[in-house]
Amino acid sequence: LEYLLSLMNKEEQSRMFQGILKVLEKYIDEIIATEDLFKLQSFVTHCEAFLTHENLLNTPTIEAMRADLGSIYYFLGYYKEGKKLLEASIIAFDKYNYRERLLKSLMYLGKIYVETDEKNNIKKIIEKINRIYENRFSEQDVIPAKILTSLGDMHDSLGKYQKAKDLLYKSVTLHKKDLKNHLDLALALALLGNVCRKMGNYSDAKIFLEESFIVYKNANAEGHFRVGWILIHLGNIYLAFGEHEKANQLIEKGVELYKKHSSEDHPDVAWATGYLGNSYIEAGDYQKAKDLLQKTLIIYQSNFEEGHGGLLRTKMYLANAYIKLKNYKEAKIILNQVLKKYEDIESSDPVEIAAATQALAEVYFFEDQLEASENLMKKALKLFSQHKHPNVSRALESLSELYLKKSILSMDKNNPQKAKIYRTQAISFLNQALKLGKEHFPVESPYIKRIQLKLRGIK
């Protein structure tokens, strides 16, 4: 290349570069659309090399290449570098009124902010996209479907699940009208399924996630890293049902797919292995879970700030592993750290707060600090109830265990009347848990069977 350049004058060099970059830009756009990580990795050096010849490129070409490189960096997990390039390209595209390019950069910058959990910046991106989208495109265009997918994903990361669900459902509807964009439809379906899962609507979540998987399968893309994402969230649904073996199989397969596409220390791999660690806890492999979650935490801490949502979730899972291993001191330290961080963070997910509160209540339960445990359990129950989350049944189950323990202690103190009151309350909590559980879980699920078995044991 350098030899060819030496044979040309500056004008010829510029024309050559402009022509090459036009072809390159089109090809990169196609690869980005398919989210092919292997091909995107191979184009990093090409983009970086062309940008060393800025003096031969006009402003639109330079900014378009920078924006493409920033988008590639997002896929490869180079969030700091991607953020820098995309933030600069947004300023330039806004200045020169390149709206389509501006929208594209905003969407990918929004994706980076979602990964780095920068909630205030996510809100700013949403505002900018809404201003452009509302004044520029009609609902018949394909572009709005992609915008709606991005907006839905961003609202999801802010905990605005109903808004996210509405946007993603609209995106799915638009994508289904344009059957050429299979993978865009698959992504929208997957995100919609995950939002439904977070809202506790497991039946719809399972339907949308499985539909997304079928789209990838029909497109001969079963090895796509997004399929790993789908399998992990399907696994999480089976975990909620109490089907631990099925959950483990799905999540392990999902982790394998991520590891095929990314290095062991990639943030996406940390995200995947965090859920695998939780699955091991549910399956009873506590030491294995602890070892895996400790490694996962190191990856998170080397890539993100301490308030990052994925990092806090991993800490909570690690605390749960310590609880099962009867290391209550370490579990309590971690859970108090997590809850303190949630207090400091605006727009923290109340369901995550409830889960951490419930875990801390469990620590106090095992330490026989029943009053402190009960207060925390009721606090968690209130949060789950306010958001109509299925975990309300698990909180009721925990309260039942606590009241049974109080009943036994009352009998030990020769107070049978009080013991009977506590026992009656424990049965009431279990009946409520069973009733609510049947609204969210399959009747034949292991979770429902466990509650029924407990009720028979008490009665």
Side-chain angles (χ1 to χ4, degrees):
L1 180 62
E2 295 300 328
Y3 175 72
L4 285 172
L5 289 173
S6 68
L7 300 177
M8 302 177 183
N9 59 42
K10 191 169 182 179
E11 186 178 339
E12 290 171 331
Q13 290 174 357
S14 180
R15 280 200 304 271
M16 184 192 77
F17 266 93
Q18 301 291 351
I20 294 173
L21 278 176
K22 192 172 181 180
V23 174
L24 184 62
E25 185 182 345
K26 183 181 178 182
Y27 189 57
I28 289 173
D29 284 343
E30 290 173 359
I31 298 171
I32 288 174
T34 61
E35 301 184 330
D36 189 322
L37 298 187
F38 295 121
K39 289 183 179 178
L40 287 170
Q41 176 71 67
S42 68
F43 270 86
V44 169
T45 51
H46 295 298
C47 295
E48 291 173 340
F50 271 100
L51 286 173
T52 61
H53 297 282
E54 288 186 19
N55 61 313
L56 300 176
L57 304 171
N58 60 38
T59 300
T61 307
I62 293 170
E63 296 307 331
M65 179 56 66
R66 282 178 179 160
D68 281 339
L69 183 57
S71 301
I72 293 173
Y73 282 156
Y74 153 72
F75 284 107
L76 301 180
Y78 307 150
Y79 301 133
K80 184 178 179 181
E81 295 86 346
K83 190 194 306 186
K84 184 178 178 181
L85 287 175
L86 286 167
E87 286 176 342
S89 73
I90 283 167
I91 294 171
F93 292 145
D94 199 18
K95 179 180 177 181
Y96 295 105
N97 201 29
Y98 300 143
R99 288 196 173 186
E100 285 195 25
R101 267 291 175 182
L102 175 59
L103 268 171
K104 187 177 176 182
S105 291
L106 285 167
M107 286 190 286
Y108 279 100
L109 183 58
K111 290 176 186 288
I112 290 178
Y113 288 151
V114 167
E115 295 297 333
T116 54
D117 205 17
E118 298 179 49
K119 289 182 169 54
N120 286 332
N121 281 331
I122 292 169
K123 291 175 185 175
K124 291 176 184 176
I125 294 290
I126 289 172
E127 290 172 3
K128 287 181 179 179
I129 289 177
N130 279 333
R131 281 200 299 270
I132 300 168
Y133 167 60
E134 289 171 0
N135 297 325
R136 175 76 178 181
F137 299 105
S138 70
E139 291 192 6
Q140 282 68 45
D141 295 321
V142 177
I143 289 175
K146 294 184 180 182
I147 295 168
L148 291 169
T149 300
S150 293
L151 288 172
D153 190 25
M154 285 186 265
H155 279 287
D156 174 11
S157 70
L158 295 175
K160 297 179 179 180
Y161 300 136
Q162 188 57 55
K163 179 68 173 177
K165 182 182 175 183
D166 293 342
L167 288 165
L168 290 166
Y169 187 82
K170 195 173 181 181
S171 174
V172 166
T173 303
L174 288 173
H175 276 305
K176 285 185 175 180
K177 292 178 180 178
D178 180 36
L179 300 179
K180 292 179 289 186
N181 296 292
H182 300 297
L183 297 187
D184 289 337
L185 169 61
L187 176 59
L189 282 166
L191 291 171
L192 178 57
N194 190 42
V195 170
C196 290
R197 183 189 68 84
K198 290 180 179 181
M199 296 174 76
N201 189 343
Y202 296 132
S203 57
D204 282 353
K206 190 167 175 288
I207 289 168
F208 290 129
L209 287 166
E210 288 175 343
E211 188 179 350
S212 177
F213 176 80
I214 290 169
V215 175
Y216 277 109
K217 185 178 179 180
N218 290 340
N220 296 315
E222 286 181 80
H224 199 283
F225 78 97
R226 293 282 187 197
V227 174
W229 190 91
I230 293 166
L231 293 174
I232 287 168
H233 284 309
L234 276 172
N236 287 331
I237 291 171
Y238 282 104
L239 267 189
F241 292 166
E243 298 183 33
H244 302 141
E245 186 176 347
K246 177 71 171 175
N248 258 0
Q249 289 172 355
L250 289 167
I251 295 173
E252 284 179 344
K253 191 174 179 181
V255 171
E256 286 173 14
L257 280 174
Y258 270 102
K259 287 183 176 180
K260 283 181 181 178
H261 290 279
S262 304
S263 62
E264 290 279 345
D265 60 349
H266 193 285
D268 285 351
V269 173
W271 174 86
T273 55
Y275 283 117
L276 182 58
N278 183 51
S279 182
Y280 287 154
I281 293 170
E282 295 293 331
D285 294 333
Y286 307 133
Q287 187 61 47
K288 190 176 182 179
K290 188 198 87 169
D291 294 343
L292 181 61
L293 289 165
Q294 285 177 330
K295 291 176 183 177
T296 300
L297 193 57
I298 290 170
I299 300 172
Y300 265 118
Q301 288 173 328
S302 64
N303 285 280
F304 303 113
E305 299 293 326
E306 281 295 318
H308 186 276
L311 190 153
L312 294 176
R313 184 174 57 250
T314 302
K315 279 190 170 184
M316 185 170 64
Y317 291 157
L318 180 58
N320 286 335
Y322 278 124
I323 291 170
K324 297 299 184 182
L325 292 166
K326 299 182 179 180
N327 186 344
Y328 304 129
K329 181 181 178 182
E330 192 64 33
K332 193 187 293 185
I333 290 170
I334 293 172
L335 288 168
N336 278 315
Q337 288 175 349
V338 169
L339 286 167
K340 179 65 173 63
K341 272 293 176 187
Y342 279 136
E343 287 176 8
D344 296 338
I345 298 170
E346 185 184 354
S347 302
S348 290
D349 188 338
V351 173
E352 295 283 359
I353 295 170
T357 303
Q358 179 72 27
L360 186 57
E362 192 174 345
V363 173
Y364 284 118
F365 174 82
F366 288 119
E367 289 182 336
D368 291 324
Q369 299 184 51
L370 298 189
E371 185 178 351
S373 179
E374 183 176 356
N375 289 336
L376 288 168
M377 284 183 186
K378 288 181 175 177
K379 185 177 179 181
L381 176 63
K382 184 178 179 181
L383 282 169
F384 285 134
S385 298
Q386 285 173 344
H387 293 83
K388 299 178 181 179
H389 196 276
N391 278 352
V392 68
S393 58
R394 297 181 186 276
L396 287 164
E397 184 184 2
S398 294
L399 275 169
S400 172
E401 293 285 345
L402 186 142
Y403 272 75
L404 277 177
K405 194 170 188 176
K406 289 171 80 170
S407 177
I408 293 167
L409 290 172
S410 295
M411 285 297 291
D412 291 343
K413 294 176 182 177
N414 294 315
N415 193 337
Q417 187 177 359
K418 205 167 189 179
K420 185 179 179 181
I421 293 170
Y422 287 141
R423 185 171 172 275
T424 301
Q425 186 63 62
I427 293 171
S428 175
F429 283 136
L430 275 181
N431 278 319
Q432 291 177 61
L434 181 61
K435 180 182 177 183
L436 290 167
K438 285 180 177 179
E439 294 176 6
H440 295 282
F441 308 117
V443 176
E444 294 300 314
S445 72
Y447 175 75
I448 297 296
K449 290 179 179 179
R450 185 178 79 225
I451 300 296
Q452 290 171 332
L453 187 62
K454 284 185 175 183
L455 277 168
R456 286 198 294 270
I458 296 175
K459 292 175 180 178

